[in-house]
């Protein structure tokens, strides 16, 4: 049985080195993840320099996750510094080769460290931090192009061997995936265009594992806005973090759920158990 975790940490640097109350909440979540003993841990929005984690970062990660190998990709010029970025922690003994794909994405998206893949003998493990459509939907056109290219890339991998894809997809796919669909149809993450992009991805042969296991359950979310102080207390959330698998291995999925992140707002980690 493989146990996999995905989490948008919103700055690995802050979580590991800051003394702020929010950083402490992030470390509390890391303590929770440590107890899970996952085989692979995908992290998004690391916000690390182009050169990757420092010695101090690596020492801190080793305290939380001893016996793990760390792979990463960061934002680099011409993209913004300390932006986006992804990482995978891989338990020793799991054989996997690192791939950093370029999918001919628009603007600087290919340089923002948004896509990191490990190739195992039996499957591809894909960690993605999907670009946000932005304030005023100013990046929506580029986001739509990303969605098309990413879907084609996953389909290409799927032709070779099964795929497990996870991360922050920055879209609530259906109305039951957010608390207030009626007021958010023009909000980034719930536009018709972004939802259609996700539908297109699933139609290429992939399964949303949470819906596969739980059906049309409502009120279960993975993200609560930080800027709204009561968003988590009121469970006014969105489900925008996913584990997807190739359709042909969906019957092997045993668990797909959120991990409790306490009072910390923003993203909660998600967990997948699959019998491969």
């Amino acid at each position: 049985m493989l146990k996999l975790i995905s989490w948008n940490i919103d700055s690995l640097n802050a979580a590991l080195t800051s003394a702020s109350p929010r950083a402490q909440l992030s470390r509390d979540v890391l303590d929770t993840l440590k107890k899970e003993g996952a085989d692979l841990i995908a992290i998004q929005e690391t916000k690390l320099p182009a050169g990757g984690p420092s010695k101090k970062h690596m020492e801190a990660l080793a305290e939380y996750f001893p016996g793990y190998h760390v792979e990463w990709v960061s934002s680099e010029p011409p993209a913004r510094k300390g932006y986006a970025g992804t990482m995978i922690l891989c338990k020793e003994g799991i054989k996997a080769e690192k791939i950093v794909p370029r999918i001919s994405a628009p603007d600087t998206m290919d340089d923002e460290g948004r896509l990191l893949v490990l190739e195992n003998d039996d499957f591809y493990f894909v960690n993605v931090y999907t670009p946000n459509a932005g304030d005023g939907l100013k990046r929506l056109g580029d986001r739509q192009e990303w969605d098309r290219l990413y879907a084609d890339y996953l389909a290409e991998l799927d032709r070779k061997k099964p795929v497990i894809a996870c991360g922050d997809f920055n879209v609530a796919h259906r109305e039951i995936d957010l608390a207030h669909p009626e007021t958010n149809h023009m909000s980034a993450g719930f536009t018709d265009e972004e939802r259609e992009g996700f539908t297109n991805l699933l139609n290429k042969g992939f399964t949303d594992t949470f819906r596969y296991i739980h059906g049309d359950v409502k009120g279960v979310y993975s993200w609560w806005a930080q800027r709204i102080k009561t968003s988590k207390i009121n469970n006014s959330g969105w489900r925008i973090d996913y584990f997807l698998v190739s359709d042909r291995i969906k019957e092997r999925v045993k668990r797909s759920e959120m991990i409790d992140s306490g009072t910390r707002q923003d993203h909660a980690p998600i967990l997948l158990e699959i019998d491969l």
Side-chain angles (χ1 to χ4, degrees):
M1 188 77 71
L2 271 178
K3 181 185 281 191
L4 313 170
I5 286 172
S6 174
W7 185 30
N8 179 323
I9 197 169
D10 185 28
S11 182
L12 182 69
N13 176 60
L16 296 179
T17 64
S18 172
S20 72
R22 176 171 165 75
Q24 183 56 57
L25 290 175
S26 298
R27 287 192 286 274
D28 291 344
V29 176
L30 287 171
D31 284 330
T32 299
L33 300 191
K34 178 179 181 178
K35 294 171 188 171
E36 291 287 348
D39 297 290
L40 293 162
I41 303 170
I43 299 174
Q44 303 92 43
E45 208 170 355
T46 54
K47 295 185 178 178
L48 294 178
S54 66
K55 182 181 178 184
K56 186 176 182 180
H57 293 141
M58 293 298 285
E59 288 171 350
L61 283 171
E63 286 185 21
Y64 283 104
F65 305 107
Y68 284 76
H69 181 64
V70 180
E71 299 286 7
W72 55 270
V73 58
S74 291
S75 184
E76 56 186 22
R80 286 156 52 189
K81 292 181 179 179
Y83 179 61
T86 50
M87 176 180 284
I88 299 175
L89 304 173
C90 182
K91 189 179 278 187
E92 286 178 3
I94 295 177
K95 294 181 180 178
E97 182 178 339
K98 175 184 177 181
I99 303 168
V100 181
R102 297 182 71 85
I103 59 173
S104 301
D107 196 20
T108 59
M109 289 176 176
D110 270 341
D111 301 299
E112 292 167 6
R114 294 184 173 276
L115 200 48
L116 180 60
V117 180
L118 292 186
E119 180 180 1
N120 178 270
D121 288 343
D122 301 317
F123 62 94
Y124 289 102
F125 184 63
V126 182
N127 180 14
V128 68
Y129 176 36
T130 302
N132 193 298
D135 292 336
L137 304 178
K138 61 181 181 288
R139 218 179 186 190
L140 180 59
D142 287 347
R143 160 63 188 267
Q144 287 177 270
E145 182 65 12
W146 169 280
D147 284 344
R148 285 191 290 270
L149 293 165
Y150 177 72
D152 288 345
Y153 175 70
L154 280 199
E156 179 187 323
L157 294 184
D158 188 44
R159 284 191 282 272
K160 301 171 188 173
K161 65 183 77 170
V163 172
I164 301 170
C166 67
D168 174 3
F169 284 77
N170 261 318
V171 61
H173 184 214
R174 297 169 56 194
E175 292 202 344
I176 57 173
D177 289 319
L178 71 166
H180 298 291
E182 67 282 354
T183 56
N184 280 294
H185 282 282
M186 294 302 293
S187 299
F190 195 61
T191 62
D192 290 346
E193 293 87 347
E194 291 163 299
R195 296 167 68 194
E196 286 167 10
F198 196 80
T199 297
N200 173 59
L201 170 55
L202 295 181
N203 287 345
K204 286 184 178 290
F206 298 96
T207 296
D208 173 355
T209 61
F210 181 83
R211 288 285 165 226
Y212 176 73
I213 292 292
H214 300 282
D216 290 343
V217 65
K218 297 179 181 180
V220 182
Y221 308 120
S222 68
W223 178 83
W224 300 264
Q226 287 186 67
R227 66 182 72 175
I228 302 170
K229 289 183 179 180
T230 58
S231 66
K232 198 162 192 182
I233 295 169
N234 295 334
N235 198 29
S236 182
W238 297 48
R239 190 174 72 94
I240 58 176
D241 302 86
Y242 299 82
F243 268 106
L244 308 182
V245 300
S246 298
D247 285 347
R248 64 185 181 280
I249 59 170
K250 67 183 179 182
E251 291 87 358
R252 295 172 177 262
V253 174
K254 305 304 178 187
R255 291 174 67 200
S256 182
E257 57 196 51
M258 315 307 161
I259 294 175
D260 184 8
S261 56
T263 59
R264 185 185 186 274
Q265 294 183 185
D266 204 49
H267 293 265
I270 58 174
L271 176 144
L272 181 79
E273 286 189 3
I274 185 166
D275 187 4
L276 285 179

